Amino acid sequence: MAEALVGIGVAANVLQLVTAGYQLLERINTFQSRTKDIPAAFRELSIQLPLMIDTCESISKEDHAIDTSSFREVVKGCFEHVQSLDSLLSKILPTDQDSRVARTWKAIGSVKIEKKIVEYQRVLEIYKTALILHVGRRNSHIPQSQVQSSVPALSLQRDTCYSYPSSQISQFIGREHLLGRVDNALLTPEANPRRPKVAVLLGMGGQGKTALALEYCRRAQSRAYFKSVLWVDAASPATVAQSFENLADHLTKRQRAFKDFNACLEFVKDTIETWAAPWMVVFDNFDQPSNIPNIMDHVPNACNGAVLVTSRHADSGALGSVLEMNSMEEDESIELLLNRTHDLPSFQNVEGARLVVRTLGCLPLAIEQAGAYIRARKISFPAFLDHFNNRRAKVLQHTPDLWDYRKKVDDQKNTTSLSVFTTWELSFQQLAHDNEQKTSMGHFMTLLGFFHNLEIREGLFKAYFHRSNPAPPWMNIFTTDSDWDTYNYEDTVVNLSQLSLLQHTRPGDHSGCQISLHPLIRDWTQYRLKPEDRRAYTIEAMSVTKRYIAQNEAEIENWSLQTTREVLTHIDVCVENYSRFCPAQSQSLSEELRECLTKFGLFYTRHGRYQHGEDILNCVLRKDEVCFGPKHVKTLETKLYISDVLLGLGRYYDVEELLQEILPKSKKLPNTARARIFCNLAKAAFKQGQYPKALELYRSALQNQEQFLTLGHPDLLNTYEALAQVYRNQGRNGKAIALYSKTLDSYVKLHGMNHPDTFSTMNNLGNCYRNLAKFDEADKIYHDALCGNEKFLGSDHPNTLNNMVNLAINHLYRYQYEEAEELFTRALATYQNKLGPEHPETLRTNLNLASLYLARGHCEEACSMLRQVFEGRLKRLGVHSDYTLYAIERLLSALWLNGQCKEADTHATHMLNMQGDLRSANTYSDAELAILRQDFPFTAVEVIFTRTLARRKSNLVWTHNDITDLNRSLAFVYLAQKRYKMTEDTLLQIIHAHETRCGPQHELTLRAKLDLSEFREKGTSVNEVEKASGSCSMKSDTLFESQQESQASIIDSSEQNRNLDFIQASMSTLGLP
């Protein structure tokens, strides 16, 4: 092939090289399109080859091609090199025709020869540079003899100048993806390049723009991307001038002087323009474009170059391709911190570092400072977090004496160590030139730092403007003719965004632009202030948030979940700032501050954040009692608000105590507040199972409300709904459904279908249908309500969780155990996290989950959970509460099914004794006294079951699952007492209930009949009772297990045999024949 090439003209040689280059490039591109992570050498080849091909094509189009011996040798060597590389790659890169085995072996082979490919790439780079140099010399009309004598082939060192800071960041880590994007922006060839390619690294201070630019320069030199790399400090016109003087000195070896800066600039540009080899100029710290508006006039007018700009000002993006620099990836951040602290990447260190970098928002400069701080003090990562939380400003201002991050400030001769605080202060100083506007923008920027750093809406400041009389003077920057102007507001946000102090987005909900800050910028805005100024900004941020809530009071229930959570996060930050920056020793609150805290406490309560609400309202109450006295209207109102919180926390005794204290003084309160006292007392009584008392109190509240409220008023509807709830728990389901339906219609007319009040009433209506064993109807209502609650209130709101538990109970009654368990588990985890393990709603969910375990035969787990529920309700609600009685009945049933009859009897006896200690014996019913006088074992258990059954029959339809389940438990007691007639009668009641509710052929009915049939077949008739003797020791499989296991609709023979075996085992333990 070499002999053939010698005989061909130079133009043909070049075309042959182009063809071979295209063939090689196609092979690499095909491989690249099929593989996610290709080796770096292949990626660099895909960049080099187009540059080489473009050069050769431009030569082939010239009228007078270069025809010298040295040039022919370059073309020949390059052609052979490309052919050799193509041959090698054809053996290791997979094709569509390859089998899977062949592809695997080729993949292994490609890894093994990667170093060889790197060497090919390096040599090809030299050939490419030689080609460009020959073309450049020809275009510059320099004699070829001079080229041949001065530049040996394959050893090209002219046009080479590397002048950039040598203080690169030690051990640069990460950012490979971003470096690759710089490659693509600066090295990807263009068809007809007319000017140098420009890439702009844009980001806020501390993101590591300069460090990345320095690393790119180092790689560009080592990989021969550019034969010259020149560095210009573009912080100011003075630093630009100084940089070009330094470049001129470097190029002339200080042998030439220039009369002024323009002469120096033109010399540097002219010199670079004569270079044929690729070059790059870096303009670092181009943060004030208005100071150097003609920056591109400083760039050589040659298309074989590239320009890299680092800037924190958004206007710089107009220069070229913008590469936004955000925070580092978390894994990169961890690697950087471990490197700087010299810690090994053990699991403990990695997890500790993870917490640190998350706290620092993965900001490179902050991580560098943290590493220096940790290393200097020899402290652990947890200790650093403690330092950070307690002395944040000092930590973020710390820089060591030997520090890579330095910069000239205000044209000073010497550099200054940069911390995250100093770099943002530089941006802050670039605000508007007009002093008044600069002051207002500075105030706005500082105030933003006292909110949560994400999703700060325009509506916050718009509400503050409209509800302040007069509006603060600094807000004039947002107005036109004294009216709010959204465009002016957005102009201000854009100006701050251009300095990279904040980011803004425009969500799709037409709510205007939203602002977000890096968390450390928020810290910086706070700690740059004096303590008294922090307090003032804290109170102003609280006022802004309070006015936003007040402005939208009527629409809060219709807010999207996203909006609600945004406001809650801002309140969280305001409360945290209040605790940090406002002195606690003050005995009084300003009226503004009192209103803010009260509004926040009520907002927390409304959205289920009860503990936070109690903390804030108790703070207000303490100040009220000092300033106004215990009988003042404001003090009484605060106590009434606290009673709402205590109801949410399940502290019903505390509610009654607090409201009984208010009641005698309530004449001072408005009518609405007085009615709420009765409603809250009624709710506390209801939650303790005191239904007659609750009914009387609700009726008193209604009499009060109906005098001053219109028929469809929300407060009146809430009381009607609460009254219906009492009716439901009393078993008056028809009356409850009528009242719920009427209330639901009113809510729909008032709010529409998509409103929390509507969903709450639907949920309660579903409970009535569940009481009536209409589980299918209840299921649809629960599902519709749950979808609405999750959408508008969120999955962790108390209303949603209550709805979720009710749906799960309905699944349990429908024997849909997996669906029920999933909902119970979700609700229980959230309740425990938000309200604690002893909250009544947590205990209720735990009890129902235990019932599910009991139904699935997991008696041990159920018993353990029910013990906790019983003890919790006994502690919270007392021994006489219906809910405590229900808990002990469930526990006794579980223990009985688990064969722990004696423990069940012990618990029952203890329960009756506790009640007897508090009540006279004549409070027992005649039926209960008759049971206690009998000479049977387990009479205490029988009394508990009988008492619970009587209450259930008064509240539930007689065919309800809860009643049949309790009858099953009673049947076990009768069997253990050898009262077989009672056992048989109870089994017949169960059959009758299933037949009435489900039909004679339903699986539950058939299984109940099978239980009775097997019981009778064993000869346990009334005549044989006297012959029977022995003790009771029941095990987990029970007579009624078939009722609970509804997995198949037909009872097969194997299940019948299992039930028969169990009956025999059970009767044997009782000493029956």
Side-chain angles (χ1 to χ4, degrees):
M1 178 61 68
E3 290 82 355
L5 186 60
V6 173
I8 305 175
V10 171
N13 300 348
V14 172
L15 287 176
Q16 201 165 6
L17 175 56
V18 168
T19 302
Y22 271 123
Q23 181 176 325
L24 177 59
L25 181 62
E26 182 180 3
R27 192 183 302 281
I28 294 173
N29 287 341
T30 302
F31 174 60
Q32 191 170 357
S33 65
R34 295 173 178 172
T35 308
K36 290 184 178 179
D37 300 316
I38 66 169
F42 286 92
R43 181 163 60 84
E44 293 179 0
L45 281 170
S46 68
I47 295 171
Q48 281 181 330
L49 284 169
L51 293 173
M52 184 197 73
I53 292 170
D54 286 349
T55 302
C56 293
E57 287 183 330
S58 66
I59 293 172
S60 65
K61 293 175 183 177
E62 294 293 336
D63 294 334
H64 304 287
I66 303 169
D67 189 8
T68 65
S69 59
S70 62
F71 183 69
R72 283 197 298 271
E73 288 299 318
V74 169
V75 173
K76 174 184 175 183
C78 189
F79 175 75
E80 291 176 347
H81 190 72
V82 169
Q83 273 203 323
S84 177
L85 179 58
D86 186 56
S87 175
L88 175 64
L89 294 185
S90 68
K91 298 175 182 177
I92 63 170
L93 296 185
T95 64
D96 293 336
Q97 291 75 30
D98 289 336
S99 65
R100 182 175 298 178
V101 175
R103 291 184 182 185
T104 301
W105 281 110
K106 283 187 174 183
I108 295 172
S110 66
V111 174
K112 289 182 177 180
I113 66 167
E114 186 174 353
K115 289 184 178 180
K116 191 171 183 179
I117 295 174
V118 170
E119 180 61 23
Y120 270 104
Q121 180 264 329
R122 188 188 67 80
V123 176
L124 185 62
E125 173 65 26
I126 296 175
Y127 276 117
K128 182 198 73 176
T129 305
L131 289 169
I132 293 173
L133 183 60
H134 275 278
V135 174
R137 287 293 182 266
R138 181 205 53 196
N139 292 339
S140 301
H141 307 290
I142 298 175
Q144 291 295 327
S145 58
Q146 183 177 339
V147 174
Q148 183 175 355
S149 61
S150 60
V151 185
L154 303 184
S155 181
L156 311 169
Q157 299 300 324
R158 284 292 296 271
D159 301 352
T160 299
C161 176
Y162 293 106
S163 178
Y164 56 91
S166 59
S167 58
Q168 297 134 11
I169 302 304
S170 57
Q171 293 180 285
F172 185 88
I173 289 174
R175 300 294 179 101
E176 292 298 331
H177 175 68
L178 198 52
L179 288 166
R181 291 182 61 196
V182 178
D183 276 350
N184 291 336
L186 298 183
L187 301 180
T188 302
E190 296 179 357
N192 296 301
R194 296 181 179 179
R195 68 185 187 100
K197 299 181 184 66
V198 181
V200 181
L201 294 174
L202 187 63
M204 71 178 188
Q207 291 287 17
K209 301 180 294 296
T210 298
L212 188 131
L214 283 169
E215 174 65 12
Y216 189 77
C217 291
R218 185 191 65 78
R219 295 190 182 191
Q221 179 179 357
S222 65
R223 299 178 183 181
Y225 292 163
F226 302 101
K227 288 301 178 183
S228 298
V229 175
L230 311 176
W231 189 275
V232 177
D233 184 350
S236 68
T239 60
V240 170
Q242 183 63 52
S243 296
F244 273 94
E245 288 176 13
N246 293 339
L247 289 175
D249 287 344
H250 187 87
L251 293 171
T252 63
K253 302 187 184 303
R254 298 185 180 272
Q255 296 178 2
R256 179 174 174 180
F258 301 93
K259 64 179 182 179
D260 55 25
F261 167 68
N262 288 332
C264 175
L265 174 63
E266 291 304 318
F267 168 77
V268 173
K269 288 172 58 179
D270 290 344
T271 301
I272 297 174
E273 287 171 6
T274 64
W275 293 346
W279 51 265
M280 179 176 72
V281 177
V282 179
F283 289 97
D284 185 39
N285 294 323
F286 185 58
D287 299 329
Q288 301 185 64
S290 59
N291 287 353
I292 318 174
N294 59 338
I295 189 67
M296 291 306 292
D297 291 345
H298 298 70
V299 178
N301 186 21
C303 60
N304 61 327
V307 177
L308 181 62
V309 180
T310 73
S311 176
R312 63 182 69 180
H313 200 293
D315 286 353
S316 306
L319 300 176
S321 302
V322 176
L323 307 178
E324 291 192 7
M325 288 192 65
N326 299 312
S327 298
M328 296 179 75
E329 296 296 327
E330 186 173 283
D331 289 344
E332 291 179 339
S333 301
I334 292 170
E335 183 184 358
L336 175 61
L337 182 59
L338 292 176
N339 178 275
R340 298 308 188 248
T341 59
H342 305 159
D343 285 312
L344 295 174
S346 66
F347 176 80
Q348 182 178 359
N349 285 340
V350 168
E351 293 307 306
R354 191 184 309 280
L355 293 177
V356 171
V357 300
R358 285 179 178 175
T359 300
L360 300 175
C362 295
L363 188 70
L365 182 55
I367 294 170
E368 294 275 7
Q369 285 183 249
Y373 189 93
I374 291 169
R375 193 170 63 249
R377 286 161 177 76
K378 298 180 174 61
I379 58 176
S380 65
F381 294 127
F384 169 80
L385 291 174
D386 183 63
H387 281 236
F388 184 82
N389 291 329
N390 290 291
R391 56 200 311 257
R392 190 166 304 186
K394 288 187 178 297
V395 172
L396 293 177
Q397 290 171 341
H398 171 80
T399 58
D401 293 334
L402 295 177
W403 187 235
D404 290 329
Y405 298 89
R406 306 186 68 85
K407 181 178 180 178
K408 290 183 179 180
V409 179
D410 297 331
D411 299 333
Q412 295 177 353
K413 291 184 177 180
N414 298 322
T415 59
T416 300
S417 292
L418 288 181
S419 69
V420 288
F421 276 17
T422 56
T423 188
W424 294 327
E425 196 66 39
L426 293 173
S427 294
F428 195 74
Q429 298 307 320
Q430 296 177 32
L431 294 177
H433 298 294
D434 177 79
N435 286 335
E436 183 177 351
Q437 186 181 17
K438 182 175 183 178
T439 301
S440 296
M441 289 179 66
H443 188 102
F444 176 55
M445 180 66 213
T446 304
L447 184 59
L448 290 174
F450 287 79
F451 294 91
H452 190 269
N453 61 296
L454 300 177
E455 297 167 335
I456 306 173
R457 292 175 178 256
E458 175 189 353
L460 284 166
F461 300 99
K462 190 174 181 180
Y464 185 46
F465 176 82
H466 286 305
R467 295 185 74 89
S468 298
N469 188 21
W474 68 266
M475 299 193 83
N476 290 337
I477 56 174
F478 303 145
T479 64
T480 298
D481 297 331
S482 300
D483 289 330
W484 181 267
D485 189 329
T486 293
Y487 298 113
N488 285 350
Y489 174 83
E490 292 181 354
D491 287 345
T492 304
V493 171
V494 168
N495 287 336
L496 292 169
S497 176
Q498 287 177 327
L499 297 174
S500 299
L501 288 171
L502 56 80
Q503 296 80 43
H504 69 281
T505 58
R506 187 175 295 277
D509 59 359
H510 308 292
S511 59
C513 70
Q514 287 189 356
I515 297 170
S516 61
L517 309 174
H518 192 280
L520 294 187
I521 285 190
R522 184 187 66 186
D523 293 338
W524 161 72
T525 60
Q526 296 175 357
Y527 285 103
R528 65 189 298 273
L529 301 173
K530 298 177 181 178
E532 59 270 22
D533 292 333
R534 288 181 208 150
R535 184 177 188 275
Y537 276 104
T538 295
I539 296 174
E540 185 172 13
M542 294 172 71
S543 298
V544 172
T545 308
K546 182 205 75 173
R547 283 169 169 74
Y548 181 70
I549 296 172
Q551 177 93 351
N552 298 277
E553 197 79 54
E555 297 297 322
I556 286 178
E557 298 292 355
N558 294 321
W559 276 357
S560 68
L561 178 59
Q562 178 65 24
T563 301
T564 300
R565 287 179 171 168
E566 287 172 12
V567 174
L568 282 170
T569 58
H570 292 315
I571 292 176
D572 288 342
V573 172
C574 286
V575 171
E576 180 187 355
N577 289 338
Y578 173 74
S579 66
R580 290 166 57 201
F581 301 139
C582 296
Q585 63 269 21
S586 175
Q587 294 297 313
S588 63
L589 295 174
S590 67
E591 185 60 27
E592 176 67 16
L593 190 53
R594 182 185 179 277
E595 289 179 5
C596 290
L597 291 173
T598 302
K599 186 71 72 176
F600 293 169
L602 295 178
F603 199 85
Y604 275 139
T605 304
R606 172 180 250 163
H607 293 94
R609 300 272 295 276
Y610 301 123
Q611 193 58 62
H612 293 91
E614 183 187 19
D615 293 341
I616 290 179
L617 292 173
N618 276 333
C619 173
V620 176
L621 179 60
R622 288 191 295 271
K623 305 291 186 180
D624 284 351
E625 289 177 333
V626 171
C627 297
F628 307 121
K631 297 181 181 180
H632 194 276
V633 171
K634 290 185 177 180
T635 307
L636 298 178
E637 286 180 339
T638 303
K639 288 183 177 181
L640 184 55
Y641 296 145
I642 292 174
S643 74
D644 294 332
V645 180
L646 295 175
L647 281 171
L649 289 169
R651 290 159 52 184
Y652 308 126
Y653 293 149
D654 293 340
V655 173
E656 291 178 331
E657 182 181 353
L658 184 63
L659 293 178
Q660 291 297 343
E661 179 187 339
I662 299 174
L663 198 56
K665 311 162 190 171
S666 62
K667 291 182 180 179
K668 300 180 179 180
L669 295 171
N671 288 330
T672 53
R674 294 175 64 191
R676 273 181 54 218
I677 293 175
F678 288 103
C679 287
N680 285 0
L681 281 169
K683 189 171 183 179
F686 172 79
K687 288 294 188 179
Q688 296 175 84
Q690 302 168 6
Y691 303 136
K693 180 180 178 181
L695 196 61
E696 180 183 349
L697 287 166
Y698 276 132
R699 284 172 175 166
S700 298
L702 277 174
Q703 288 176 358
N704 192 339
Q705 289 175 319
E706 287 172 344
Q707 293 177 12
F708 61 87
L709 295 178
T710 58
L711 188 61
H713 193 278
D715 288 351
L716 197 60
L717 295 178
N718 287 339
T719 308
Y720 282 138
E721 184 176 6
L723 187 62
Q725 198 168 10
V726 179
Y727 288 146
R728 178 183 70 82
N729 278 28
Q730 288 183 320
R732 301 157 73 178
N733 290 290
K735 197 166 185 176
I737 288 176
L739 197 50
Y740 276 138
S741 300
K742 180 180 177 181
T743 306
L744 182 60
D745 289 341
S746 299
Y747 275 137
V748 171
K749 290 178 183 177
L750 183 65
H751 302 306
M753 284 299 298
N754 295 322
H755 191 275
D757 287 342
T758 306
F759 303 138
S760 174
T761 308
M762 291 170 63
N763 179 49
N764 287 325
L765 185 60
N767 290 340
C768 284
Y769 284 113
R770 195 183 77 216
N771 278 9
L772 295 171
K774 296 182 178 180
F775 302 126
D776 291 341
E777 293 92 328
D779 185 77
K780 184 180 186 308
I781 295 173
Y782 284 141
H783 270 292
D784 291 345
L786 183 59
C787 289
N789 278 324
E790 288 183 328
K791 180 178 179 181
F792 287 91
L793 299 179
S795 59
D796 59 351
H797 192 279
N799 287 12
T800 308
L801 296 173
N802 178 267
N803 193 167
M804 194 180 296
V805 171
N806 288 332
L807 176 59
I809 294 171
N810 204 59
H811 282 315
L812 175 60
Y813 287 153
R814 300 173 80 197
Y815 307 100
Q816 298 170 338
Y817 296 144
E818 291 184 1
E819 294 88 339
E821 184 171 7
E822 192 269 333
L823 290 173
F824 279 140
T825 304
R826 279 174 53 196
L828 181 61
T830 308
Y831 272 136
Q832 288 177 332
N833 183 49
K834 288 179 67 71
L835 302 178
E838 293 187 350
H839 190 278
E841 292 301 327
T842 309
L843 296 174
R844 172 180 178 246
T845 308
N846 228 338
L847 182 143
N848 285 290
L849 181 58
S851 298
L852 171 65
Y853 288 156
L854 203 60
R856 304 186 85 168
H858 306 315
C859 295
E860 286 289 349
E861 295 92 328
C863 289
S864 176
M865 295 171 68
L866 288 168
R867 288 188 188 97
Q868 296 175 17
V869 173
F870 171 62
E871 291 169 1
R873 284 190 170 178
L874 189 63
K875 178 181 176 181
R876 278 282 187 133
L877 306 177
V879 71
H880 298 300
S881 168
D882 276 6
Y883 298 109
T884 306
L885 182 61
Y886 186 72
I888 189 64
E889 179 272 317
R890 290 279 78 199
L891 174 59
L892 298 181
S893 295
L895 291 170
W896 204 275
L897 289 174
N898 202 37
Q900 298 170 266
C901 304
K902 291 183 178 179
E903 183 182 346
D905 195 50
T906 301
H907 278 290
T909 303
H910 181 57
M911 179 73 172
L912 293 178
N913 286 337
M914 284 191 294
Q915 291 180 330
D917 289 340
L918 301 173
R919 300 163 44 175
S920 60
N922 59 15
T923 56
Y924 288 103
S925 67
D926 292 340
E928 291 171 354
L929 289 172
I931 294 171
L932 291 171
R933 293 190 186 108
Q934 296 179 85
D935 189 19
F936 289 122
F938 312 119
T939 53
V941 177
E942 184 182 356
V943 168
I944 297 291
F945 284 167
T946 304
R947 180 178 294 174
T948 308
L949 184 61
R951 295 198 184 192
R952 287 193 188 175
K953 285 182 177 178
S954 68
N955 296 346
L956 304 174
V957 64
W958 67 277
T959 59
H960 196 279
N961 289 41
D962 281 356
I963 292 179
T964 57
D965 287 346
L966 190 50
N967 269 328
R968 176 195 62 193
S969 299
L970 264 175
F972 276 113
V973 176
Y974 296 146
L975 186 62
Q977 293 172 338
K978 304 173 186 177
R979 298 161 68 185
Y980 303 119
K981 181 64 169 67
M982 296 289 288
T983 305
E984 188 172 31
D985 289 346
T986 306
L987 287 173
L988 287 170
Q989 291 178 34
I990 295 171
I991 292 171
H992 185 37
H994 286 322
E995 283 183 331
T996 303
R997 183 165 65 87
C998 306
Q1001 299 303 316
H1002 192 275
E1003 57 183 300
L1004 294 178
T1005 308
L1006 295 176
R1007 287 176 177 175
K1009 287 179 178 180
L1010 179 60
D1011 287 337
L1012 179 63
S1013 174
E1014 292 172 343
F1015 179 78
R1016 286 171 172 171
E1017 287 177 4
K1018 293 293 119 186
T1020 53
S1021 61
V1022 178
N1023 294 329
E1024 296 175 314
V1025 169
E1026 299 299 328
K1027 299 178 183 179
S1029 62
S1031 62
C1032 174
S1033 177
M1034 306 291 289
K1035 293 307 294 178
S1036 60
D1037 289 330
T1038 72
L1039 178 64
F1040 311 107
E1041 187 173 30
S1042 59
Q1043 176 184 341
Q1044 296 180 358
E1045 296 183 355
S1046 56
Q1047 303 301 321
S1049 60
I1050 300 175
I1051 303 174
D1052 57 22
S1053 59
S1054 62
E1055 186 173 2
Q1056 294 183 26
N1057 292 333
R1058 180 182 58 78
N1059 286 339
L1060 185 59
D1061 292 341
F1062 165 70
I1063 294 291
Q1064 292 171 341
S1066 298
M1067 297 181 70
S1068 174
T1069 60
L1070 293 172
L1072 303 178

